Amino acid sequence: MIVFDEKQKVFFLNGKNYTYAMAVNECGFLQHSYYGAKIERCDGEYLRFIGSFKEPRVGNLNMDEDFHRMPSECGFYAHGDFREPTVIIENEDGALTSRFRYVGYEYKKGCDKIEGMPCVRKADETLTIILKDDFSNAEISLIYSVSDDSDVLVRSLNVRNLGNEKIRLKKAFSFCVDLDGGEYSALRLSGRWAQERMEEVAPLAHGITKIQSLRGISSHHTNPFLGILKGDCGESFGECFGVQLCYSGSFAVTAEYEKVSSLRIQGGINDTAFSWTLNGGEKFVTPQAFLAYSNEGLGSLSRSYADFLREKVIRPDLAYKKRPIVINNWEATYFDFTSEKLFSIIDGAKGLGIDTFVLDDGWFGKRNSDETSLGDWFVNEEKLKGGIKEISRYCQKNGLKFGIWIEPEMISEDSELYRTHPDYAIQKEGVEPCRIRNQLVLDLTRKEVVDYIYSVIAKLIIENEISYVKWDMNRCLTELYSKDLGSEKQGEFSHRYMLGVYSLMERLTETFKEVFFEACSAGGARYDAGILYYFSQIWTSDDTDAYERTKIQWGTSYCYPVSSMSCHVSASPNHQTGRAISLKTRGAIASLGAFGYELDVTKLTKEERESVKEQIKEYERIADLVLSGDLYRLSSPFNKDHFAQMIVSKDKSTAYLVVERFLGAKEFDFVRNLKLDGLAEEKIYKIEELNVTASGSALKNVGVVLPKLLDFESVAWHIAEVK
Ligand code: GLA
């Protein structure tokens, strides 16, 4: 609920369990007052009293450091606030100084859709606070959307040029919040290809801690999420904040820690080499940031994010819809297949309970390796006699749906498309292009290119009865240049590229509502809320090893729902790590997400086929929990000798526990009493596999005794309330 205390000039934003407050101070500046557990609306006067110690002195605004102490909602540049600014405005004469003063506010029920960008779909109320730059014609709108049922606060910022002369933005982050001083640590999700979103926690030291991507995609290396832990904070206790960007391109989030002031957290579009020109009357809209608060630890923060994304960001018709169980041929064949081979895989998949066959890379142009044909989205008839239609029909005959892999944003130099339209590729004359995975990227800042790709993909979907699309993106952006933008707007390139991608995603998903789209970016290089707005599921990682996946899925779960993680059972030994892990454990770990297979089913033994059938049946039992339940992280693969996660239904009547044991020097290293969290303490539960009953409080406080597990062995237990 949003409340404005007119007398004290304090804004209260109240979500489910938090209050966020701001005040207009004596000198007319908007000052951040409080972010934390709920307080009362009558506390305006008290907040003003507390805040007065940090206010600039009335009538003496030029005192050194006056603004530096003030907790702000939007940092400005070169006028007494020496922390990183949130927005930098360059005037026609080159002057950069700014200072933002409160002008007024607007209130509305609900929230507005941001045209052309992913954003929150619903919110109860929205507050827009308007600031005006004292030294230019820029007007800043700070936008806050809140919902009574959520602990996530949605923020963004618009800049409008109210004058006639041009201004140029050199930085335009989405939000800024100055938290109180104290001891903080940062939780980041860092990694690389096949090892995405590894948890990393480190104390925040004096100065700037920055996570960023300059790759044109949110990246394998750093996820656009930052957790801020205050003092002693763990999985189920302590105060923490989260920042998550609803953006899939180059981003930055900074945490600036200073003893004299506080902790400034801000972020948005990466400002390195960014610029955006605003002519008179024009407006720049930043992507949204999703801020979250919890005083019950990181587990609760994660559950707030999962609920928020499912309820308010992911397409409502898909958020809780049963996901197709797929068999994907990539690791079964790589580029080496024929129609006959695919038919045999489809034959093999029949009767197992799988519902969709997804044909991966290699079906188009002359694509027999990664050196050619991206952009030529027509079938390679030499490989696939009768075209993909034949494969699609064969699937249907055998009771399966048909899906296909595409990489719409790419172009190979060895392709018909490149020979006809070399100008479609991102390139700068005289600059040797980086050829990552032997490919170039299409210049999606150009509408003509977006329109062309749209028409080709639309035709492909219509002509081949495709019901599932795996949309890949296998390289980052380099040589950021488009001749269409002219010399003044090259700093807009990266963001304009993202706007092109979003418009393509929006058009395809809106036109083909019944087609299920899965995102992929060489595994999980573009795993973010921006993508989840269009596609409800993302290929989590190219690493499907059931040990590595415990870490990848654990890290991903800090800010994304398990239902968004595409998790497949692949062959053993694993193709990425060479590690051999039982089919049972591979199935158990994959069942903690959107389930499927990524192996050659024709090579399964009779017994393995029976196990796969059983696995799918078991998965069907818990599919609803994966879609709508609450995740509890019980034992971390990062610092324990076993991994344990449990998903509990919202009404706490059912739960699903998965444990995997890792390398331990001795059998007895394994802590066998696992305390469960998330059940209702007063309810009585039965653990099906143990045939034993206990109260929720016993399962929480005494725990369950795990069987003796050898390396990489696992259990997957079903827990249900006894009524
Ligand atoms: C990427 C994806 C894989 C597969 C290959 C095909 O690496 O992450 O799943 O689709 O491309 O080239």
Side-chain angles (χ1 to χ4, degrees):
M1 198 214 282
I2 297 176
V3 178
F4 183 47
D5 178 338
E6 295 272 356
K7 192 161 161 246
Q8 299 297 333
K9 295 207 176 100
V10 177
F11 295 94
F12 288 93
L13 312 180
N14 291 314
K16 195 172 166 194
N17 295 300
Y18 74 90
T19 297
Y20 189 103
M22 302 162 273
V24 182
N25 65 26
E26 289 290 309
C27 317
F29 295 95
L30 182 72
Q31 185 168 324
H32 175 78
S33 305
Y34 174 74
Y35 189 18
K38 257 192 181 160
I39 55 170
E40 301 301 322
R41 55 190 290 183
C42 62
D43 285 326
E45 190 178 351
Y46 186 63
L47 287 181
R48 285 299 300 271
F49 168 74
I50 295 286
S52 65
F53 298 105
K54 293 188 167 183
E55 280 185 30
R57 279 148 285 182
V58 187
N60 203 357
L61 295 183
N62 299 321
M63 294 287 288
D64 185 27
E65 302 259 326
D66 259 19
F67 287 105
H68 196 67
R69 283 198 321 261
M70 184 181 92
S72 178
E73 289 288 298
C74 183
F76 45 74
Y77 182 60
H79 208 274
D81 181 351
F82 302 102
R83 293 162 292 186
E84 287 279 303
T86 311
V87 175
I88 302 179
I89 298 156
E90 184 181 49
N91 286 292
E92 189 84 311
D93 63 1
L96 297 162
T97 306
S98 59
R99 186 175 67 188
F100 307 131
R101 201 182 286 265
Y102 174 81
V103 176
Y105 74 94
E106 286 161 15
Y107 167 87
K108 71 177 292 182
K109 287 252 177 255
C111 59
D112 288 328
K113 175 174 164 44
I114 302 184
E115 280 315 316
M117 266 204 285
C119 59
V120 68
R121 289 173 196 271
K122 356 179 214 181
D124 291 347
E125 298 163 280
T126 299
L127 173 73
T128 303
I129 295 192
I130 298 153
L131 311 176
K132 171 78 183 56
D133 185 5
D134 280 345
F135 311 119
S136 77
N137 286 316
E139 178 193 80
I140 313 272
S141 303
L142 305 177
I143 305 160
Y144 305 80
S145 294
V146 300
S147 295
D148 289 347
D149 64 353
S150 175
D151 277 327
V152 177
L153 167 65
V154 179
R155 291 197 54 179
S156 63
L157 176 160
N158 297 342
V159 187
R160 189 191 292 278
N161 181 358
L162 297 179
N164 297 320
E165 289 183 347
K166 235 187 293 196
I167 56 175
R168 187 186 265 211
L169 303 177
K170 304 196 85 169
K171 178 176 186 179
F173 269 1
S174 301
F175 77 99
C176 165
V177 57
D178 285 341
L179 300 174
D180 276 351
E183 299 292 312
Y184 290 97
S185 313
L187 162 66
R188 338 160 176 219
L189 304 176
S190 315
R192 60 164 174 80
W193 172 75
Q195 204 176 53
E196 297 89 340
R197 293 170 295 286
M198 297 288 108
E199 158 191 322
E200 224 179 4
V201 182
L204 280 179
H206 210 91
I208 291 178
T209 300
K210 182 176 190 182
I211 57 164
Q212 68 164 348
S213 164
L214 275 170
R215 293 168 186 263
I217 48 176
S218 43
S219 89
H220 294 107
H221 306 77
T222 316
N223 193 263
F225 163 81
L226 188 67
I228 301 291
L229 287 56
K230 192 167 186 185
D232 198 15
C233 171
E235 198 50 37
S236 54
F237 62 91
E239 275 196 293
C240 51
F241 302 85
V243 172
Q244 182 180 153
L245 298 177
C246 188
Y247 193 57
S248 320
S250 293
F251 73 91
V253 176
T254 55
E256 185 171 5
Y257 186 66
E258 256 204 26
K259 290 247 153 50
V260 279
S261 45
S262 59
L263 177 64
R264 170 166 291 184
I265 314 285
Q266 51 180 355
I269 295 172
N270 197 309
D271 53 318
T272 301
F274 166 87
S275 72
W276 199 278
T277 303
L278 290 177
N279 292 313
E282 284 180 350
K283 182 169 87 169
F284 182 72
V285 179
T286 65
Q288 287 179 338
F290 302 148
L291 270 53
Y293 169 78
S294 160
N295 60 1
E296 290 177 357
L298 287 160
S300 132
L301 191 87
S302 303
R303 288 185 288 279
S304 295
Y305 270 134
D307 284 343
F308 171 80
L309 291 170
R310 289 185 296 206
E311 285 290 316
K312 301 179 203 294
V313 177
I314 295 173
R315 249 171 63 178
D317 57 329
L318 292 175
Y320 298 104
K321 192 173 170 193
K322 187 183 173 299
R323 300 297 157 78
I325 296 182
V326 308
I327 171 89
N328 176 300
N329 74 305
W330 178 241
E331 291 201 359
T333 63
Y334 295 101
F335 292 108
D336 186 16
F337 56 83
T338 56
S339 301
E340 285 64 41
K341 177 67 197 171
L342 299 182
F343 291 156
S344 72
I345 293 178
I346 296 162
D347 286 341
K350 199 166 58 181
L352 294 177
I354 288 170
D355 28 50
T356 304
F357 166 71
V358 178
L359 172 55
D360 212 281
D361 196 355
W363 58 266
F364 52 91
K366 296 192 169 43
R367 183 89 166 166
N368 291 316
S369 75
D370 62 15
E371 283 170 15
T372 171
S373 301
L374 292 167
D376 293 348
W377 302 112
F378 44 82
V379 71
N380 179 344
E381 293 262 1
E382 271 170 39
K383 241 170 159 172
L384 301 180
K385 310 251 161 9
I388 35 181
K389 229 181 215 153
E390 276 305 299
I391 313 291
S392 175
R393 284 204 191 115
Y394 199 78
C395 282
Q396 279 165 33
K397 256 202 327 222
N398 288 285
L400 295 182
K401 290 186 171 165
F402 176 63
I404 204 155
W405 177 98
I406 48 170
E407 202 180 353
E409 298 157 67
M410 296 297 151
I411 181 166
S412 303
E413 285 160 285
D414 178 17
S415 68
E416 291 304 316
L417 182 62
Y418 190 80
R419 282 183 278 278
T420 334
H421 285 294
D423 62 303
Y424 276 13
I426 297 175
Q427 284 193 83
K428 168 89 178 74
E429 219 184 301
V431 178
E432 169 79 5
C434 284
R435 294 181 176 86
I436 305 173
R437 210 191 190 206
N438 310 304
Q439 60 200 57
L440 302 180
V441 185
L442 286 169
D443 183 355
L444 297 180
T445 67
R446 291 171 60 191
K447 184 161 184 309
E448 180 194 344
V449 183
V450 174
D451 288 347
Y452 169 78
I453 288 295
Y454 172 80
S455 62
V456 176
I457 305 291
K459 187 161 172 278
L460 178 75
I461 295 176
I462 293 166
E463 286 180 355
N464 297 289
E465 291 172 61
I466 288 168
S467 72
Y468 188 109
V469 169
K470 177 178 171 187
W471 177 311
D472 209 341
M473 201 294 180
N474 275 309
R475 63 157 286 176
C476 346
L477 268 54
T478 52
E479 301 89 44
L480 312 175
Y481 183 84
S482 177
K483 64 178 176 26
D484 280 15
L485 289 176
S487 60
E488 207 176 52
K489 290 177 176 275
Q490 295 302 332
E492 303 181 7
F493 183 90
S494 293
H495 183 53
R496 285 192 184 274
Y497 176 85
M498 271 330 299
L499 295 178
V501 172
Y502 287 147
S503 80
L504 190 57
M505 289 179 172
E506 171 114 19
R507 276 167 80 182
L508 284 165
T509 49
E510 283 300 307
T511 313
F512 300 103
K513 281 212 160 74
E514 69 296 348
V515 174
F516 187 89
F517 285 84
E518 175 183 77
C520 174
S521 183
R526 212 162 49 180
Y527 207 121
D528 54 69
I531 294 297
L532 287 175
Y533 175 84
Y534 300 101
F535 305 159
S536 53
Q537 190 172 302
I538 301 177
W539 180 230
T540 318
S541 175
D542 276 346
D543 195 335
T544 44
D545 172 293
Y547 165 60
E548 293 297 327
R549 268 298 181 111
T550 61
K551 293 188 276 178
I552 296 167
Q553 293 171 207
W554 180 280
T556 309
S557 77
Y558 276 111
C559 47
Y560 306 107
V562 285
S563 56
S564 69
M565 297 180 212
S566 190
C567 301
H568 292 178
V569 174
S570 60
S572 178
N574 181 272
H575 290 198
Q576 278 71 38
T577 62
R579 188 177 283 123
I581 294 188
S582 71
L583 185 54
K584 182 178 172 217
T585 297
R586 282 177 277 148
I589 299 305
S591 71
L592 290 166
F595 193 69
Y597 289 83
E598 183 102 7
L599 43 70
D600 191 345
V601 267
T602 65
K603 295 198 175 129
L604 294 176
T605 63
K606 225 168 144 203
E607 293 72 48
E608 284 172 333
R609 284 186 64 80
E610 287 311 308
S611 305
V612 167
K613 265 193 219 167
E614 204 43 46
Q615 259 175 4
I616 295 177
K617 264 200 223 134
E618 284 294 307
Y619 183 74
E620 299 287 3
R621 285 182 67 194
I622 53 114
D624 267 348
L625 271 179
V626 171
L627 285 169
S628 60
D630 283 327
L631 181 75
Y632 287 82
R633 289 181 295 257
L634 304 176
S635 178
S636 169
F638 290 97
N639 51 38
K640 298 265 174 56
D641 65 0
H642 62 295
F643 156 92
Q645 279 189 350
M646 186 161 80
I647 308 178
V648 182
S649 64
K650 286 276 173 201
D651 66 0
K652 303 209 178 278
S653 64
T654 52
Y656 176 61
L657 170 72
V658 172
V659 180
E660 180 184 340
R661 195 260 159 107
F662 309 136
L663 294 174
K666 291 183 254 101
E667 187 182 290
F668 297 107
D669 286 352
F670 189 32
V671 181
R672 289 170 64 187
N673 259 50
L674 176 71
K675 294 184 175 175
L676 305 188
D677 196 9
L679 298 169
E681 299 202 13
E682 69 290 356
K683 288 189 180 185
I684 303 295
Y685 294 95
K686 179 171 182 181
I687 302 176
E688 189 181 307
E689 287 73 8
L690 301 184
N691 195 21
V692 70
T693 56
S695 67
S697 62
L699 295 174
K700 179 177 174 164
N701 298 308
V702 182
V704 290
V705 178
L706 295 167
K708 202 184 338 168
L709 295 171
L710 299 178
D711 293 347
F712 307 118
E713 279 189 346
S714 59
V715 294
W717 288 346
H718 300 80
I719 301 169
E721 183 186 356
V722 185
K723 293 205 173 141

